[in-house]
Amino acid sequence: MAATRDLPLPLLIICILKMTGSLPMTSQPPEFGPLDAVTLLGSPTEGYVLVPEDYEDSDDATTTSVPLTPRRGPFEKCKFNQCLENQPSCYELAASTQCLCPGYTLNNVPPEAPNLGSVTLNGADVIVEWCEPLSYVTGYVVTVGGQEKYRFSKDKRRGSIGQVDNVIQVCVSAVNDAGESEASCEMYQPRDRSLPLKVGLIGGALVLLAALLMVVLIWRRRRQRKQEAHISSAQ
């Protein structure tokens, strides 16, 4: 130690640096906690969490989750009637009121079959009514007897097929760009158009018979009075 004290100052500094350079250098990687890792990508309010792969202390770990944004609007079904025609589509109602539409098949698959409601006579024409399926629809096709086809737009739920005089099968199907659905069918039984004529003839005959009966009764009543008057004048 005495020798080192006698050394000049520059030489003393060089010796100290050599001694420290010969010592083993040890380094230890910094330790990261789960909260320290957040600052690597941003502030905690930004929702970024970076957890080191070798961090396995489950007791000290904290779980950070990003809250889901609640859906705004009523959780109600859309007030959409599948059997009512000339109304906004369910998609339009959902976009404007944030209501919930039932599950619809997409436009890349053929639609499901519509629900055939009724086939009835209205005046001289037969009217077919149906309800929209839960599918993407561009129009409807009504078939009479498997041959005649009547086409209607997607917003229609009823249509006329003209005059039908025979018992025949009436079917309705939905169509889109992917194809045509299965058909919903019903047998149409026409009414007896001669029935009103028969009823009129029978009614007219009954009225005529009643009038004839009334005339006979009046004639007999007058004849009886004449006979009574003749007997009285003879006495």
Side-chain angles (χ1 to χ4, degrees):
M1 294 296 296
T4 57
R5 291 178 181 176
D6 296 335
L7 293 174
L9 181 59
L11 185 59
L12 179 62
I13 294 174
I14 293 173
C15 292
I16 293 174
L17 291 176
K18 288 183 177 181
M19 293 175 62
T20 57
S22 62
L23 294 176
M25 299 296 291
T26 59
S27 62
Q28 186 176 359
E31 295 182 357
F32 293 95
L35 296 181
D36 297 332
V38 176
T39 60
L40 295 178
L41 295 180
S43 62
T45 57
E46 294 176 345
Y48 297 101
V49 177
L50 179 62
V51 180
E53 295 179 357
D54 58 348
Y55 188 81
E56 297 178 356
D57 190 359
S58 60
D59 295 333
D60 297 333
T62 58
T63 303
T64 304
S65 61
V66 180
L68 296 176
T69 303
R71 182 183 185 275
R72 297 180 180 179
F75 288 92
E76 299 178 354
K77 292 183 178 180
C78 296
K79 296 180 180 179
F80 180 76
N81 188 343
Q82 295 174 245
C83 303
L84 182 64
E85 63 180 9
N86 298 325
Q87 63 176 330
S89 67
C90 194
Y91 297 109
E92 295 174 347
L93 294 176
S96 60
T97 64
Q98 295 188 354
C99 59
L100 300 178
C101 279
Y104 277 67
T105 58
L106 301 180
N107 59 345
N108 58 350
V109 295
E112 297 179 356
N115 183 19
L116 179 59
S118 63
V119 183
T120 56
L121 181 66
N122 185 4
D125 295 337
V126 175
I127 304 298
V128 183
E129 298 183 358
W130 62 86
C131 297
E132 178 191 37
L134 297 179
S135 303
Y136 177 79
V137 177
T138 58
Y140 297 94
V141 176
V142 176
T143 305
V144 181
Q147 296 180 354
E148 286 189 83
K149 291 187 176 182
Y150 301 83
R151 299 185 179 274
F152 302 93
S153 60
K154 63 180 181 180
D155 59 337
K156 294 296 183 181
R157 302 293 183 269
R158 65 196 305 266
S160 172
I161 58 174
Q163 184 175 340
V164 180
D165 298 325
N166 303 319
V167 178
I168 201 168
Q169 186 182 53
V170 178
C171 301
V172 59
S173 58
V175 295
N176 62 17
D177 297 336
E180 185 172 344
S181 72
E182 295 183 358
S184 296
C185 302
E186 181 178 321
M187 295 300 299
Y188 173 69
Q189 179 72 42
R191 296 178 182 178
D192 188 359
R193 299 181 183 272
S194 63
L195 181 61
L197 179 61
K198 293 178 180 179
V199 172
L201 292 176
I202 294 175
L206 291 176
V207 171
L208 181 59
L209 181 61
L212 291 176
L213 181 60
M214 184 66 68
V215 171
V216 171
L217 290 176
I218 293 174
W219 177 77
R220 290 186 62 182
R221 182 61 177 171
R222 290 180 177 179
R223 182 179 179 184
Q224 184 177 0
R225 287 180 179 180
K226 288 182 179 180
Q227 290 179 353
E228 290 176 354
H230 180 71
I231 293 173
S232 299
S233 60
Q235 293 178 352

